[in-house]
């Protein structure tokens, strides 16, 4: 009888049904589907459904985790981001003004596969490599994470894997605006003029700029991963990746400093004015371009940057430079710090970001 009692309790907890006395192994008895009217009456009798439970925070405290989902998508006639949107008390993004969203493209066909790290991969760099099937799914997942955040304009590199990530992801946005590439020279004004008769309620403009392209990996660009350590020492490969001022070998090889010197001036000239106007901006780019921006936004010194790069593989939970594929990173410009830098909100999906950090670059 004790076993029978346990079976009844488990059946009720798991399936909400009853265990039939004639069934073996405590399987639940199939329940007869109720007519629609009866289901409605039963639902009314039970009252409203309980609110969804907030998952416990990762650090083990009792405080609820911060909500990064952003305010509701704009209603018809609202361009999103601008105007006088009401304060959203549930997620702390007051008015949703001046929100910067950094997004690394989804996995490309040359990226290392985290689930199969021994599979052949190549440094893509400035080579225009398409998204892989996994990268397309990552773009869709990123779109889900961004779907409730009003956006006014999107910036992308001129490499297709970044532009594709933005366009695929934004197909999931609740505002239902069509993302359209309006300029490939990084010119915001020309891009907005190119909208013609299209309105902001219909179109989400995308401005593509070479300044946001990925770091050029010089001689290693396109080289099979099996050849890296046969041509270069592990110490050199680690230094060329992690040291801010060391360039990849080869005529066009760049250092992160080179990337910084083209990304940050463009950001200050073309993106910051929009953020200061209260617009919400999505920047879809690449690993080293985003790391360069994080260095600027977080006010890091060169020494701090180099130390954070070393943490990325060994101590990702404490690394400030994580740039995982498909994980949006948020900054807000309506709350500026004393040194004039925006407030860092953080990654929308931190757990997924940590899982993805096994990509090599």
């Amino acid at each position: 009888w004790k076993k029978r009692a346990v079976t009844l309790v488990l059946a009720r907890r798991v399936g909400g049904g009853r265990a039939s006395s004639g069934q073996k192994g405590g399987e639940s008895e199939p329940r007869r589907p109720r007519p629609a009217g009866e289901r409605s009456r039963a639902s009314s009798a039970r009252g409203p459904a309980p609110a969804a439970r907030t998952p416990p925070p990762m650090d083990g405290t009792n405080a609820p985790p911060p909500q990064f989902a952003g305010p509701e998508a704009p209603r018809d006639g609202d361009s999103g981001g601008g105007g006088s949107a009401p304060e959203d008390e549930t997620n702390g993004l007051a008015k949703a003004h001046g929100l910067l969203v950094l997004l690394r493209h989804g996995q490309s066909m040359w990226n290392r596969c985290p689930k199969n790290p021994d599979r052949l991969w190549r440094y893509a760099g400035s080579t225009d490599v398409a998204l892989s099937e996994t990268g397309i799914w990552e773009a869709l997942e990123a779109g889900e994470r961004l779907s409730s955040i009003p956006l006014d304009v999107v910036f992308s590199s001129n490499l297709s894997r970044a532009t594709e990530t933005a366009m695929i992801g934004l197909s999931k946005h609740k505002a239902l605006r069509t993302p359209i590439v309006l300029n490939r020279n990084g010119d915001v004004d020309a891009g907005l003029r190119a909208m013609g008769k299209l309105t902001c309620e219909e179109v989400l403009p995308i401005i593509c700029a070479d300044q946001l392209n990925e770091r050029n990996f010089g001689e290693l660009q396109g080289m099979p991963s099996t050849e890296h350590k046969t041509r270069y020492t592990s110490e050199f490969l680690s230094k060329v990746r992690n040291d801010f001022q060391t360039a990849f070998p080869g005529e066009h090889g760049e250092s992160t400093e080179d990337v910084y010197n083209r990304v940050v001036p463009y950001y200050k000239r073309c993106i910051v004015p929009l953020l200061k106007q209260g617009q919400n901006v999505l920047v879809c780019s690449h690993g080293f371009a985003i790391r360069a921006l994080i260095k600027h936004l977080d006010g890091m010194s060169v020494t701090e940057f180099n130390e954070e790069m070393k943490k990325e593989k060994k101590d990702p939970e404490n690394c400030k430079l994580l740039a995982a594929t498909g994980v949006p990173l948020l900054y807000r410009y309506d709350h500026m710090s004393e040194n004039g830098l925006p407030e860092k909100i953080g990654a929308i999906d931190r757990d997924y970001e940590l899982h993805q950090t096994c990509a090599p670059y």
Side-chain angles (χ1 to χ4, degrees):
W1 68 269
K2 291 182 179 179
K3 291 181 179 179
R4 180 66 188 141
V6 171
T7 300
L8 285 169
V9 171
L10 289 175
R12 289 183 181 128
R13 285 184 178 176
V14 176
R18 298 177 300 171
S20 170
S21 58
Q23 289 176 311
K24 296 181 181 180
E27 296 176 355
S28 298
E29 177 182 327
R31 289 182 291 176
R32 175 182 58 85
R34 296 177 179 176
E38 187 177 343
R39 285 199 298 271
S40 300
R41 289 193 298 273
S43 300
S44 300
R46 287 194 299 268
R53 294 179 58 188
T54 302
M58 296 295 292
D59 58 4
T61 63
N62 292 323
Q67 301 296 313
F68 300 132
E72 289 297 321
R75 296 181 291 273
D76 292 341
D78 182 359
S79 61
S84 56
E87 178 170 347
D88 191 324
E89 298 178 355
T90 60
N91 52 41
L93 299 182
K95 299 180 182 178
H97 280 180
L99 195 66
L100 172 65
V101 184
L102 303 180
L103 178 64
R104 184 182 175 187
H105 64 81
Q107 184 189 97
S108 78
M109 295 180 69
W110 277 7
N111 277 139
R112 184 180 182 185
C113 178
K115 294 182 179 178
N116 190 359
D118 295 328
R119 182 185 299 170
L120 183 72
W121 57 271
R122 302 169 189 266
Y123 282 120
S126 58
T127 307
D128 199 2
V129 181
L131 292 175
S132 66
E133 182 178 0
T134 297
I136 293 172
W137 280 109
E138 287 179 338
L140 289 168
E141 289 173 352
E144 290 283 359
R145 297 181 180 105
L146 293 171
S147 63
S148 294
I149 298 178
L151 295 171
D152 296 291
V153 62
V154 178
F155 289 84
S156 169
S157 80
N158 258 315
L159 300 177
S160 59
R161 58 188 182 274
T163 310
E164 288 171 359
T165 296
M167 299 186 83
I168 292 171
L170 291 170
S171 69
K172 307 289 288 185
H173 203 279
K174 292 181 180 179
L176 302 179
R177 296 160 69 192
T178 305
I180 298 179
V181 175
L182 295 175
N183 186 273
R184 289 195 173 273
N185 296 318
D187 191 326
V188 180
D189 292 334
L192 296 179
R193 288 196 300 270
M195 289 179 65
K197 296 181 180 180
L198 297 171
T199 67
C200 291
E201 287 76 22
E202 300 170 314
V203 170
L204 184 57
I206 299 179
I207 309 299
C208 297
D210 289 340
Q211 291 91 331
L212 300 176
N213 283 2
E214 178 59 298
R215 180 180 177 184
N216 189 305
F217 293 118
E219 292 178 356
L220 276 78
Q221 194 158 285
M223 183 185 296
S225 55
T226 51
E227 295 183 22
H228 294 174
K229 293 185 179 180
T230 62
R231 297 195 184 191
Y232 306 97
T233 65
S234 297
E235 291 75 16
F236 174 78
L237 291 172
S238 177
K239 182 179 181 180
V240 78
R241 181 187 184 278
N242 297 332
D243 185 77
F244 185 71
Q245 296 172 319
T246 301
F248 275 96
E251 182 180 357
H252 301 291
E254 288 184 303
S255 65
T256 306
E257 184 176 31
D258 294 327
V259 178
Y260 182 97
N261 288 337
R262 58 176 164 82
V263 169
V264 173
Y266 179 79
Y267 165 78
K268 290 180 178 179
R269 184 175 71 254
C270 297
I271 299 176
V272 169
L274 300 176
L275 294 166
K276 288 184 175 179
Q277 292 171 17
Q279 298 194 45
N280 292 351
V281 177
L282 169 64
V283 177
C284 191
S285 188
H286 308 264
F288 279 99
I290 290 176
R291 293 182 188 110
L293 263 177
I294 293 174
K295 178 188 181 298
H296 168 69
L297 295 169
D298 289 11
M300 289 184 193
S301 67
V302 171
T303 301
E304 289 171 327
F305 179 90
N306 292 344
E307 290 303 313
E308 292 298 324
M309 285 297 291
K310 294 175 184 177
K311 290 181 185 178
E312 192 174 32
K313 305 302 177 187
K314 299 178 180 178
D315 187 18
E317 291 191 21
N318 295 308
C319 179
K320 299 175 183 177
L321 289 171
L322 293 188
T325 53
V327 180
L329 179 64
L330 276 61
Y331 289 81
R332 58 190 292 175
Y333 272 73
D334 55 344
H335 282 201
M336 304 292 284
S337 62
E338 293 181 359
N339 58 5
L341 297 174
E343 179 185 352
K344 188 173 187 175
I345 299 175
I348 288 184
D349 193 337
R350 177 69 171 174
D351 187 48
Y352 182 83
E353 181 184 47
L354 292 172
H355 174 71
Q356 290 296 93
T357 55
C358 46
Y361 58 96

